[in-house]
Amino acid sequence: MDYTQILLRPVVTEKATALRDANQVAFFVHPDANKIEIKKAVEAAFSVKVVDVNVVTRKAGEKIRNRKVVHVPGWRKAYVTLAAGEKIEFFEGV
């Protein structure tokens, strides 16, 4: 897979913004991508050195809301730790 297919979009939440102080960024990634592919994709897309990748997966399922069963989509998120001194300029204005 190409890195444009692996990295779907950045995670822009309060937690993800706070993680920038710890030199981490978060992305929603393709459900079939593994840690090695995610690391290579971030390094190729942003020209930075990646130290570690942690992945969180939420499975799709059904929930009951207002006495109705609704489908809740699943997602996969990657928390990428960058090397000391590395920054992604894309996240600096957020």
Side-chain angles (χ1 to χ4, degrees), residues 12-79:
V12 184
T13 60
E14 192 171 338
K15 179 182 178 181
T17 305
L19 286 175
R20 285 189 295 170
D21 296 334
N23 228 16
Q24 289 185 337
V25 290
F27 294 98
F28 283 107
V29 295
H30 193 275
D32 295 333
N34 60 28
K35 289 183 179 185
I36 297 168
E37 292 173 338
I38 294 168
K39 179 180 177 179
K40 289 180 182 178
V42 172
E43 288 177 344
F46 299 106
S47 301
V48 294
K49 177 70 177 153
V50 175
V51 176
D52 191 26
V53 177
N54 295 321
V55 179
V56 178
T57 305
R58 181 180 182 276
K59 293 184 179 180
E62 296 178 342
K63 288 192 173 190
I64 297 174
R65 292 186 182 157
N66 296 332
R67 289 186 260 158
K68 293 181 182 177
V69 177
V70 294
H71 176 75
V72 178
W75 45 258
R76 188 160 190 178
K77 224 187 307 189
Y79 292 99

